[in-house]
Amino acid sequence: MRFSVLSHVRNRLALLMAVFFVPVWIWVVKVTAYPTPVVFRLRAVGAEVSSTVDRIFQISSALHALTVITGFVTFRATFTARDMDERLVLAGYPRPQLLLAKATTLIGVSMILSLYATVLLRASWPVLQPVPLCVSLAVASLAYGGIGLLAGSLLRGELEGFFLIVMTTFLDTSLQNPVTNPYGQQSGLGALPLFGPAQVANAAAFTHVDPGWSVLRALLWCVLCACAGMVAFFMRTRFHGSGVASGPAAAHPEKVASGAAQ
């Protein structure tokens, strides 16, 4: 856990994006988008919603910002730790503990970012249901965190991973935005990671309607991608030492990792 947290803390670009990029993006949309009234239907909750263009784009911007940041930090943490993880496994450190630390850190990052974005959005206008909004943002972050974990386990370069995360989130948020995609009837749209979170976020922000459990669709993406990444990790280290770490290996993994490298 300590190594996983430190890997995120040392990612200064991601920290700057989280602290400054999220509020700046929400504020820029607020002051530049027109407050034109818009009426649209949310398929997942079966409700007609009335809002304005600027507020809808603020929700979409928050979803995009959080998914990009979470996907990027998870990808980079997984990608840069691959060699060390393999050395720890070679030294006898148990794989489940390594994977559980990454998953726990991902959950923590998603919760912190979603709370931060919810506070910013509520400061912009009186969000009607802040708790479901926060949950939808957190689940969206988890979905792309799982994708980042899978990409970090499979891809060979950082540029490829960053490009994959940015373009995937951009396409997904554009299709889920009721302004840029007012009808939202494309085949397979409901299978995308952000369908459930976007539907719930808009319902929570603009209505008193119970958003239901459609947000859980995105958790399936997180679980499937995380499991695929774990399988890739197990396959890559299947010929490494299988003993359970004890003594120095459990207490000081950084020392055994260094010894394995030598």
Side-chain angles (χ1 to χ4, degrees):
M1 277 295 300
R2 182 164 60 92
F3 286 137
S4 296
V5 172
L6 285 175
S7 67
H8 292 308
V9 173
R10 290 169 180 167
N11 191 344
R12 296 180 181 178
L13 174 60
L15 287 176
L16 290 174
M17 289 176 64
V19 175
F20 298 106
F21 180 63
V22 177
V24 167
W25 199 344
I26 293 175
W27 178 80
V28 168
V29 171
K30 177 181 175 63
V31 299
T32 58
Y34 288 104
T36 306
V38 176
V39 178
F40 57 95
R41 182 170 182 80
L42 296 176
R43 289 165 47 192
V45 299
E48 292 284 343
V49 179
S50 177
S51 184
T52 57
V53 171
D54 58 333
R55 294 181 177 181
I56 293 172
F57 267 106
Q58 286 181 69
I59 294 291
S60 180
S61 298
L63 284 169
H64 191 189
L66 265 61
T67 51
V68 166
I69 294 171
T70 309
F72 173 63
V73 299
T74 307
F75 163 77
R76 194 171 188 279
T78 305
F79 181 84
T80 55
R82 286 195 304 196
D83 290 341
M84 182 176 180
D85 288 342
E86 291 182 14
R87 292 168 185 168
L88 289 174
V89 173
L90 182 63
Y93 205 81
R95 296 178 183 88
Q97 291 189 23
L98 296 171
L99 299 174
L100 183 60
K102 297 182 188 303
T104 305
T105 308
L106 169 59
I107 295 173
V109 170
S110 300
M111 292 178 62
I112 293 173
L113 288 176
S114 62
L115 286 171
Y116 183 43
T118 302
V119 171
L120 293 172
L121 290 171
R122 196 171 188 189
S124 180
W125 83 89
V127 173
L128 298 181
Q129 300 185 76
V131 174
L133 174 61
C134 184
V135 171
S136 65
L137 294 175
V139 173
S141 299
L142 285 172
Y144 274 92
I147 294 174
L149 193 152
L150 176 60
S153 300
L154 297 178
L155 298 181
R156 296 184 177 182
E158 288 192 67
L159 181 60
E160 294 92 323
F162 187 70
F163 182 80
L164 173 67
I165 296 296
V166 170
M167 295 307 298
T168 304
T169 55
F170 175 76
L171 177 63
D172 202 353
T173 52
S174 298
L175 289 174
Q176 308 299 345
N177 189 325
V179 175
T180 57
N181 186 25
Y183 297 104
Q185 299 296 328
Q186 291 89 345
S187 177
L189 184 64
L192 295 178
L194 289 185
F195 177 78
Q199 296 275 308
V200 171
N202 284 298
F206 308 126
T207 73
H208 291 287
V209 176
D210 182 7
W213 299 98
S214 58
V215 70
L216 296 181
R217 297 184 184 202
L219 284 181
L220 183 61
W221 274 89
C222 177
V223 172
L224 291 178
C225 290
C227 289
M230 292 177 183
V231 169
F233 176 69
F234 271 85
M235 293 297 293
R236 194 169 60 247
T237 60
R238 65 186 183 278
F239 297 122
H240 291 15
S242 59
V244 176
S246 60
H252 303 286
E254 69 277 11
K255 293 182 180 180
V256 300
S258 177
Q262 294 173 3

